[in-house]
Amino acid sequence: MRKITEGEPPSGLRPPVFMIGQNSRGDWVVRDQSGLRGGLFIGREAALRYVRFESGGHPSAIVMVSGDFELDTSGMRRATAHQFKAEEQRVRRVA
């Protein structure tokens, strides 16, 4: 079992880290490290506003990416399918 040091918050309390960059078409891309949240934005300010909202305004939650940064939705699709499956099982138990 991993021992947590005094200066390190438990993983559940760490703010999510979001990567922000531009794709090949000039749109702004936001994606969290787990690939579960993110999106495409027309402007940099809109992308930053989204990150501030999702992270609770935590300044260390933003990582700027240089070069082309494309939105990969494969992780989002897996998460969505998993959420639906979990919801379906929960509904079956209730019924």
Side-chain angles (χ1 to χ4, degrees), residues 23-41:
N23 65 13
S24 58
R25 292 174 301 282
D27 299 317
W28 286 87
V29 176
V30 175
R31 189 176 72 215
D32 74 339
Q33 279 185 316
S34 62
L36 299 177
R37 293 183 284 180
L40 287 174
F41 299 87

Side-chain angles (χ1 to χ4, degrees), residues 59-79:
S60 65
I62 301 171
V63 175
M64 298 302 287
V65 177
S66 62
D68 286 345
F69 182 54
E70 301 296 332
L71 182 63
D72 176 17
T73 59
S74 62
M76 292 179 190
R77 281 190 293 247
R78 279 193 302 270

Side-chain angles (χ1 to χ4, degrees), residues 1-16:
M1 180 178 219
R2 186 176 158 219
K3 185 177 180 181
I4 297 175
T5 63
E6 197 172 302
E8 180 183 352
S11 61
L13 299 178
R14 288 187 207 134

